[in-house]
Amino acid sequence: MSTKVSDHILERLRDWGVEHVFAYAGDGINGLLAAWGRAGDNPRFVQARHEEMAAFAAVGYAKFSGRVGVCAATSGPGAIHLLNGLYDAKLDHVPVVAIVGQTDRSAMGGSYQQEVDLLSLYKDVASDFCEMVTVPEQLPNVLDRAMRTAMARRSVTAVIVPADVQELEYTPPGHAFKMVPSSLGMSRYAPVPAEADLARAAEVLNTGQKVAVLIGQGARGARQEVMAVAERLGAGVAKALLGKDALDDDLPYVTGSIGLLGTRPSYELMTGCDTLLVIGSSFPYSQFLPGFGQARAVQIDIDPHMVGLRYPFEVNLVGDARETLTRLLPLLDAAKDTTWREKVEKDTARWQEVMQRRAAVDADPVNPEYVVHALNDLLPEDVILSADSGSAANWYARHLRLRGAMRGSLSGTLATMGPGVPYAIGAKFAHGDRPAVALVGDGAMQMNGMAELITIAKYYREWADPRLVVAVLNNRDLNQVTWEMRAMEGAPRFEPSQSIPDVAYADVARLFGLEGIRVEKPGDVVGAWQTALAADRPCVLDFVTDPAVPPIPPHATLDQVEAAATAVLMGDSDHANVVGQGFKAKVQEFLPGHRHREDRPGAQDGT
């Protein structure tokens, strides 16, 4: 039997070690689907419910496996549907390869059914490499370059294959003019800066008396080195959200997340420092960095395209975080004054008390901060966490303290709704022996999460560890936007856009053959988490939470909370609860002394 182009595509993916392709069928890839049948479903075709979800699952797989995620879709609408997930990968610097169909070559330019100019459409999202295969001899070169470029540049690449080309007999490129042979593989590389640049960076850092370190996902492979630098310089360490799992939150000098979703000690670390070291992060909000002129600064990033952004750095080091820090460490002087570090640790310990208090504040019916805070002591040591965009991301950022082998991620730069559940699905295909937890709002769950419960039900029996917990923060409100309207626009909640139906998510889960638990009382929160994490199948936890609990930014003052409350009183449908919850949450930061929360919320003095 002759080998078709479609057969060769799958063969080449296998040669690259690709084990899963997240996809959805369509006639634009019929040839490829037939090849999958001939190949015995190798690599595995993982069927999502929608092409966007396939792309998100590929992103989650790539984020949690460290390998290239691959997704596939048909021409026209299928290719269009992939785009949101692909942009999520592009903006978070995640290697993903998209394989998409196209109408037959003979129909191109004829306004044919489902004909879309995919080269133009994908020009931005796959700007590093996007090619259409028009003759068999272009393979394997095009596919090899797509894989290699995605890995090297940590970005999105795309291979477009017209339907008729998929059916052609494969003939390899020859040793001839206008032929481009190719080869497999790419060895790991770790670039390092020049010694003179390292010396310049050390000079800046050694002059600092109050050093702050900001790490992102690029520091994930340099955990020990980051710890050593922080100890040497007496520094505090803040984390961009994509780097939340790059360093243990239990370390006393780790202040947690930074930005609007960040912590107060991270905010104070940046406003109080005189020296800044940024490692593997392109955190976009410069207003949360030290004031211009306040701090001398050094950046380390593996991508020369990303250095020098966000802040007037004196030294921009281009290199692998681990290798660069290894060479930088011997050049750094040990901090002689421990006052700064002691302040950072005191501020961090104080904030952890504040988080306990905020989780203990009474709400109607359940405080969403308590839902997430209660998970901390129950997290399996090898858990993989995903969070959706919205208020769920606030609680993920501030309340969950990751440590050891725990992994976590969300849509960092695109901040799109909807990836929480498919990220977790991708994680389970990357690590079927590890439990996964997805924190999602009810808006994201209604947008696409419920449909992906069908995907979970289809595949979970294949996973060595069947646990995948989807925790829905069910407040019947598109809560993040509601609070942004209140705080940024001075406008009350707009019911027609913000109110969403109360869905029986646990009942839906049971309908699909999964476990489902609805939680309407604070006293049932811990037990629900324990049941879900001990279940023999995936579980949906429907937490009925209070939409009036505010995601207060770390730099907000009581005066600002009062100003927002005044705007709310101008006509918000939930104004009384909003004002009460806002003040109860914020005042926890100003209560004196050490307090110990009991196992139930609301048992706190001063709440």
Side-chain angles (χ1 to χ4, degrees), residues 13 16 68-69 95-99 128-131 140-153 155-160 182:
L13 290 175
W16 274 100
V68 176
V96 171
V97 175
I99 300 173
D128 283 312
F129 187 81
C130 179
E131 291 294 337
N141 173 59
V142 168
L143 189 55
D144 289 349
R145 288 200 69 194
M147 293 290 295
R148 196 174 288 117
T149 302
M151 287 189 288
R153 299 186 179 175
S155 188
V156 173
T157 60
V159 177
I160 303 164
S182 186

Side-chain angles (χ1 to χ4, degrees), residues 271-572:
T271 57
C273 73
D274 62 17
T275 308
L276 174 66
L277 173 61
V278 177
I279 306 169
S281 173
S282 59
F283 175 74
Y285 302 111
S286 59
Q287 69 267 34
F288 287 98
L289 298 178
F292 292 174
Q294 169 191 328
R296 302 182 70 186
V298 174
Q299 182 180 20
I300 300 172
D301 202 283
I302 198 171
D303 186 351
H305 181 67
M306 298 304 295
V307 297
L309 293 176
R310 320 302 184 203
Y311 199 79
F313 295 100
E314 288 188 48
V315 183
N316 292 302
L317 298 177
V318 178
D320 172 81
R322 182 178 181 181
E323 296 297 332
T324 300
L325 292 176
T326 297
R327 287 161 174 78
L328 183 61
L329 262 168
L331 307 178
L332 299 179
D333 299 333
K336 297 181 176 63
D337 187 350
T338 61
T339 305
W340 172 246
R341 168 63 76 82
E342 290 168 358
K343 178 186 184 303
V344 170
E345 294 185 1
K346 181 180 178 180
D347 291 345
T348 302
R350 169 65 176 161
W351 178 256
Q352 291 167 4
E353 294 177 8
V354 170
M355 288 295 95
Q356 289 181 341
R357 291 173 178 174
R358 283 176 55 164
V361 167
D362 287 328
D364 182 19
V366 179
N367 184 342
E369 298 198 62
Y370 177 61
V371 169
V372 180
H373 195 86
L375 177 60
N376 258 321
D377 293 337
L378 305 174
L379 284 173
E381 292 301 316
D382 59 346
V383 71
I384 299 176
L385 292 149
S386 65
D388 221 298
S389 297
S391 58
N394 285 272
W395 316 137
Y396 164 82
R398 294 176 184 156
H399 284 280
L400 291 185
R401 300 175 64 191
L402 304 191
R403 56 195 179 271
M406 295 178 183
R407 294 292 313 278
S409 196
L410 41 55
S411 176
T413 309
L414 187 60
T416 181
M417 282 182 67
V421 175
Y423 267 24
I425 293 171
K428 292 298 292 187
F429 279 100
H431 302 287
D433 59 344
R434 297 175 64 169
V437 175
L439 299 174
V440 302
D442 49 356
M445 194 64 178
Q446 291 183 22
M447 181 178 282
N448 52 40
M450 285 194 293
E452 287 310 299
L453 295 180
I454 301 171
T455 304
I456 294 170
K458 178 176 180 176
Y459 290 109
Y460 83 85
R461 294 174 183 83
E462 303 175 11
W463 302 329
D465 185 332
R467 292 177 295 172
L468 194 168
V469 182
V470 178
V472 184
L473 302 179
N474 179 4
N475 56 25
R476 293 76 61 204
D477 180 53
L478 297 177
N479 200 235
Q480 186 74 16
V481 173
T482 293
W483 278 103
E484 288 171 348
M485 289 172 61
R486 288 166 175 157
M488 300 169 69
E489 303 295 329
R493 181 174 184 261
F494 181 56
E495 293 281 342
S497 71
Q498 300 311 106
S499 179
I500 60 176
D502 182 6
V503 174
Y505 303 103
D507 291 350
V508 173
R510 289 191 293 270
L511 181 66
F512 293 156
L514 310 177
E515 184 60 80
I517 303 171
R518 186 174 173 97
V519 180
E520 299 176 311
K521 298 178 181 178
D524 295 337
V525 168
V526 171
W529 278 121
Q530 291 172 330
T531 299
L533 289 169
D536 63 353
R537 66 192 62 198
C539 180
V540 172
L541 297 178
D542 180 1
F543 291 108
V544 183
T545 58
D546 190 341
V549 175
I552 300 174
H555 58 294
T557 65
L558 278 174
D559 288 343
Q560 290 170 321
V561 174
E562 183 178 10
T566 300
V568 167
L569 288 172
M570 294 168 56
D572 199 294

